[in-house]
Amino acid sequence: MSERLPPLTSLRAFEAAARHMSFAQAADELSVTPAALSYQIKSLETHLGAKLFRRLNRAVALTEIGERLANGVAPAFAMLQTSWRDACDYVDSPHLVVTAGPAFTAKWLAPRIYAFAEAHPEIDLRLTASLRLIDFERDGVDVAIRFGPEPDDPGLFFQQVAREWVTPMMHPALAARVKTPTDLRNVPILHQEDLARVEPNVTWRRWFEAAGLGPAPEAGARFSQADHAIDAAASGAGVVLGRISLAHNDLKSERLIAPFDLALTLNSSTRLVCPAGTEDKPAIRAFRAWVMAETAIDPIYERSRRYVAAVP
């Protein structure tokens, strides 16, 4: 056994694997293959001369020596991350790392972000489309935009940027055939599984019930991502319960029509989230102001609309 420190990459691989208790999840976090991560762990064990993990069936567990090493390595990497972020904060050119869900990124953020970049050329902006749970400090993220219930964490600052509601939306050619809500029984219905996971009551069944139409059709294509469902509706494939924040651009361009006044309101909303105390950093404050201005819904889409709660 050598007391010389092993390569930092192998220690980093060990720290992530010990924290997740999963080689696969650690590999995903570090953007390497599970095989590459496993190789780094084995190299570290060879360098130490002792096993750090017990390989179980579809799981791993730390050995006693592994636990002793993890107890020191985890806070050391946390300190390194903090020191690195502190140094970055003093770099002359400010940077801003933003993460948002894939659907919000595709339908809202990506089509507009050039305007923010043009207005703030001094900010080095970096975007990541992801839904995974964020550790702001460890992941180096400044701002997250998330759809869901209100966070219950005093360590976070959050700001609602969009009051969410859904209503049937369809291609104009399809809308010509759908004169009344009853006509929805004669056209393809599109379902969004990601919305149902967050808001189980926001379904076609609830909308049909609120419209007094009886049971809703169960058949129809199902999509795991809301942006894919909206794009399918805009291509004429069927009718979607479109979320206003995601469909706003398509409504303005008339790729989609929302012919009925009945809308279901959601308990969840789209929020901007960042660590408490960082919300007034210049780059974050500029981004917050821009998001709030851009997420204002055109009144034409809310005027005379009849809102019904998703939960009866």
Side-chain angles (χ1 to χ4, degrees), residues 114-137:
Y114 71 91
F116 179 81
E118 286 184 349
H120 298 279
E122 78 283 2
I123 296 177
D124 178 16
L125 181 67
R126 305 169 193 178
L127 300 180
T128 301
S130 172
L131 284 175
R132 78 181 178 89
L133 190 63
I134 293 296
D135 181 315
F136 286 94
E137 184 171 318

Side-chain angles (χ1 to χ4, degrees), residues 8 10 18 21 23 64-65 74 77 99 106 117 142 145 167 173 190 195 226-228 251 262 272 283 294 310:
L8 189 62
S10 62
M21 282 301 169
F23 282 15
E64 182 179 353
I65 294 175
F77 269 95
T99 179
D142 299 299
I145 298 177
T167 193
L190 308 179
L195 180 57
D227 55 320
H228 298 167
L251 291 171
L262 178 64
L272 183 150
E294 288 288 326

Side-chain angles (χ1 to χ4, degrees), residues 97-100 134 136 141-146 271-274:
V97 180
V98 177
T99 179
I134 293 296
F136 286 94
V141 171
D142 299 299
V143 176
I145 298 177
R146 289 292 186 262
R271 291 180 173 84
L272 183 150
V273 186
C274 63

Side-chain angles (χ1 to χ4, degrees), residues 193-210:
E193 294 177 347
D194 59 338
L195 180 57
R197 284 195 295 270
V198 179
E199 290 271 353
N201 295 301
V202 182
T203 61
W204 277 110
R205 181 175 65 179
R206 174 58 183 146
W207 194 91
F208 268 63
E209 177 185 275

Side-chain angles (χ1 to χ4, degrees), residues 19-304:
R19 176 161 32 84
H20 288 289
M21 282 301 169
S22 165
F23 282 15
Q25 291 180 36
D28 182 61
E29 177 186 312
L30 299 178
S31 299
V32 299
T33 64
L37 185 126
S38 181
Y39 175 78
Q40 291 290 346
I41 300 295
K42 288 180 180 178
S43 296
L44 186 62
E45 291 175 329
T46 299
H47 189 94
L48 180 63
K51 291 292 185 182
L52 297 169
F53 289 96
R54 290 184 288 114
R55 276 70 167 176
L56 309 175
N57 186 25
R58 297 186 179 182
V60 294
L62 287 168
T63 64
E64 182 179 353
I65 294 175
E67 289 180 358
R68 293 177 68 88
L69 182 60
N71 288 339
V73 168
F77 269 95
M79 185 178 296
L80 278 173
Q81 184 67 56
T82 300
S83 299
W84 178 252
R85 294 204 64 187
D86 286 345
C88 289
D89 285 342
Y90 283 92
V91 175
D92 291 337
S93 177
H95 68 273
L96 185 67
V97 180
V98 177
T99 179
F104 191 86
T105 299
K107 300 301 292 181
W108 193 94
L109 194 55
R112 290 175 168 83
I113 199 62
Y114 71 91
F116 179 81
E118 286 184 349
H120 298 279
E122 78 283 2
I123 296 177
D124 178 16
L125 181 67
R126 305 169 193 178
L127 300 180
T128 301
S130 172
L131 284 175
R132 78 181 178 89
L133 190 63
I134 293 296
D135 181 315
F136 286 94
E137 184 171 318
R138 186 190 67 233
D139 298 330
V141 171
D142 299 299
V143 176
I145 298 177
R146 289 292 186 262
F147 169 69
E150 182 176 309
D152 183 20
D153 187 338
L156 296 178
F157 168 88
F158 58 90
Q159 182 174 13
Q160 180 175 299
V161 298
R163 182 176 74 98
E164 296 284 7
W165 47 268
V166 300
T167 193
M169 300 179 185
M170 63 202 79
H171 187 274
L174 194 57
R177 296 164 44 196
V178 181
K179 303 299 184 183
T180 69
T182 304
D183 294 333
L184 290 172
R185 296 190 178 281
N186 303 317
V187 296
I189 296 295
L190 308 179
H191 303 271
Q192 303 169 75
E193 294 177 347
D194 59 338
L195 180 57
R197 284 195 295 270
V198 179
E199 290 271 353
N201 295 301
V202 182
T203 61
W204 277 110
R205 181 175 65 179
R206 174 58 183 146
W207 194 91
F208 268 63
E209 177 185 275
L213 299 177
E218 294 292 335
R222 299 180 182 274
F223 295 84
S224 62
Q225 295 288 342
D227 55 320
H228 298 167
I230 289 173
D231 287 341
S235 72
V239 184
V240 67
L241 273 179
R243 207 170 97 207
I244 184 59
S245 66
L246 302 183
H248 193 241
N249 282 357
D250 292 304
L251 291 171
K252 289 188 70 172
S253 65
E254 298 186 346
R255 292 179 71 226
L256 287 175
I257 302 291
F260 306 124
D261 66 345
L262 178 64
L264 299 180
T265 58
L266 279 60
N267 291 321
S268 298
S269 62
T270 299
R271 291 180 173 84
L272 183 150
V273 186
C274 63
T278 68
E279 64 271 17
D280 286 325
K281 285 187 174 182
I284 295 179
R285 185 171 65 244
F287 185 73
R288 285 173 51 212
W290 176 78
V291 168
M292 294 305 296
E294 288 288 326
T295 50
I297 302 299
D298 192 324
I300 192 173
Y301 303 117
E302 297 195 312
R303 190 179 300 130
S304 303

